[in-house]
Amino acid sequence: MTDAAMDPVSAVAPLLAGRASSSQRWSNLIFVHWRVDAALVAPLLPDGLVPDEFDGASWVGLIPFVLDRATVFGSPPIPYFGTFVEVNVRLYAVDANGHRGVVFVSLEASRLAAVLAARALFSIPYMWSRTKLEVGAGEYRYTARRHLAAGAHTEIVVRPTARPVFGDPLADFLTARWALFTRTRGRTVHLRNHHEPWELFEAELVSLDDTLLAVAGFPGLAGREPDSVLYSPGVTTWFGAAG
């Protein structure tokens, strides 16, 4: 673990330093999380990072949502290429300066141009997939099937409740993340983001047919009952420069 004082876990995002470089709307998010041994997470992190832990464990998230209204450097929302369903597998890490952030193992997205741009600019591991959201009978059904690797797929069905989540330390740890880490051009960078506090609700996992977790390095995890399932209607997010 880092010897530096770690950033506090706060539901309120710190302000960005300088002007935002881009923005996105994230809608109808499902946060499905499992506890795992930190020793399983450590080898998957970029250089200079260690697992961030809560209650003696590290955590793996499977998170589907709708991304739209994407802008770059103050542009109007980008049509078509800036709108898609995403499903990501993410981990939680901290650097030697005590800065917290997420690390993406994979991100499924249906827009090839967005996949290529994210990989080229920031080495973020987007995967070109056929992704979809269906909503009905109070349930959200997210599906993703990776092109050229049909064995990598997921189908997540979740039913949100009307029970709000406030002041829950675990929920804040898993969702109040104001940066991502990625390894690009030979160094690990810390890319900040800012958005309003999450509006969170308890949710029920109805069914899960998933291999993305196993492909990411966590075989058998999808067969376990998750330790946390949350829903949020969404936020608009702004991104700062990499540091």
Side-chain angles (χ1 to χ4, degrees), residues 59-79:
W59 294 76
V60 178
L62 180 65
I63 302 166
F65 62 98
V66 177
L67 185 155
D68 69 349
R69 294 175 243 175
T71 71
V72 179
F73 299 115
S75 72
I78 300 169

Side-chain angles (χ1 to χ4, degrees), residues 2 19 24 30 39 45 53 88 94 121 152 190-191 199 202 213 218 225 234 241 243:
T2 177
R19 183 184 176 190
Q24 301 169 354
I30 307 295
L45 301 179
E53 298 181 42
N88 65 59
V94 60
L121 294 174
H190 183 248
L191 182 62
E199 184 182 11
E202 295 178 14
L213 291 165
F218 301 96
E225 193 74 18

Side-chain angles (χ1 to χ4, degrees), residues 87-215:
V87 183
N88 65 59
V89 176
R90 78 184 196 186
L91 311 175
Y92 301 89
V94 60
D95 67 13
N97 295 315
H99 297 316
R100 289 184 148 108
V102 301
V103 173
F104 292 107
V105 184
S106 63
L107 308 93
E108 313 300 313
S110 58
R111 301 290 186 253
L112 181 57
V115 168
L116 296 176
R119 283 181 163 274
L121 294 174
F122 296 109
S123 300
I124 297 174
Y126 268 94
M127 307 292 178
W128 187 33
S129 298
R130 184 182 303 110
T131 60
K132 184 170 61 172
L133 167 63
E134 299 173 298
V135 182
E139 296 179 351
Y140 290 77
R141 181 185 302 270
Y142 281 96
T143 57
R145 186 169 295 274
R146 195 173 295 174
H147 293 294
L148 308 178
H153 63 83
T154 195
E155 180 181 86
I156 309 162
V157 183
V158 167
R159 181 182 299 115
T161 75
R163 297 188 296 271
V165 177
F166 295 113
D168 180 280
L170 175 59
D172 288 344
F173 177 87
L174 297 173
T175 66
R177 291 283 158 166
W178 311 120
L180 69 84
F181 293 109
T182 185
R183 186 78 177 172
T184 183
R185 298 176 181 85
R187 67 188 185 103
T188 299
V189 299
H190 183 248
L191 182 62
R192 290 272 315 281
N193 69 74
H194 176 91
H195 59 72
E196 62 267 29
W198 290 106
E199 184 182 11
L200 295 172
F201 297 88
E202 295 178 14
E204 172 193 355
L205 180 65
V206 177
S207 65
L208 176 63
D209 176 10
D210 176 83
T211 63
L212 297 181
L213 291 165
V215 170

